[in-house]
Amino acid sequence: MSRRPEGERVRVVSREACVAQVRAWQAEGRTVVFTNGVFDLLHVGHLRYLQAARAEGDHLVVAVNTDDTVRAAKGPDRPVHPADDRAELLAGLTAVDLVTLFDEPTPAALIAAVQPDVLVKGADWPLDQIVGRDTVWARGGRVVRVPTEVGHSTTGLIGKIRQ
């Protein structure tokens, strides 16, 4: 990994550091947005999704599935890129303020710990299947479903490459 410029903050953090930073932002009256996903082969659909998520508040926290959770959900050929690489790529995007990893089958425990003000998922997720919605609603927060970009998906890219 390359060295960061002097004074640049580290944006891929542990769960504990993530929770501490979120609490600090919220204490300042900032709105914290949370989303999660695999983000395996980063594409323009991901970028637009993250920009839309960020537009819902002051700070965007992105939780990334670890490699084991991706394999369990998507099969033995995934992920293409290891979790640390995926997290670092996301942290480099201007829309993203903080990235953390999660190793559970769902981000429920992480969302419960973070207590975001806004939870964002793609509109391809039915509202009743969005993990963490009850946690966010219980504290008066919002759940937002962002439209997905037709024709932009990691599965589609992998299929194209295989052809």
Side-chain angles (χ1 to χ4, degrees):
M1 187 183 297
S2 63
R3 297 181 70 139
R4 293 185 182 278
E6 186 72 28
E8 184 177 323
R9 66 192 167 121
V10 176
R11 296 184 345 164
V12 179
V13 299
S14 69
R15 179 174 301 212
E16 295 75 21
C18 177
V19 169
Q21 181 60 68
V22 167
R23 291 294 169 280
W25 286 330
Q26 289 172 327
E28 295 171 354
R30 308 278 182 168
T31 301
V32 176
V33 180
F34 179 99
T35 194
N36 65 279
V38 175
F39 301 101
D40 199 2
L41 295 178
L42 204 55
H43 53 74
V44 72
H46 287 133
L47 177 64
R48 292 173 184 160
Y49 170 80
L50 293 167
Q51 289 170 331
R54 173 60 186 276
E56 296 294 330
D58 300 310
H59 295 285
L60 177 60
V61 175
V62 180
V64 176
N65 293 74
T66 61
D67 297 344
D68 288 341
T69 64
V70 175
R71 274 190 288 280
K74 297 189 178 279
D77 292 339
R78 298 280 300 276
V80 174
H81 294 291
D84 288 343
D85 289 357
R86 291 182 280 123
E88 185 176 347
L89 282 168
L90 289 167
L93 300 177
T94 56
V96 177
D97 292 293
L98 212 57
V99 179
T100 194
L101 300 174
F102 70 99
D103 197 34
E104 299 87 6
T106 75
L110 179 57
I111 293 168
V114 171
Q115 294 286 310
D117 304 297
V118 182
L119 176 60
V120 173
K121 285 300 284 181
D124 53 330
W125 282 87
L127 187 58
D128 66 344
Q129 292 181 24
I130 296 177
V131 171
R133 72 188 179 286
D134 293 335
T135 299
V136 173
W137 284 340
R139 62 182 311 273
R142 297 182 295 121
V143 176
V144 177
R145 295 169 61 232
V146 173
T148 56
E149 293 282 330
V150 177
H152 298 287
S153 73
T154 298
T155 302
L157 282 173
I158 290 172
K160 231 181 202 181
I161 291 166
R162 287 185 174 151
Q163 287 178 354

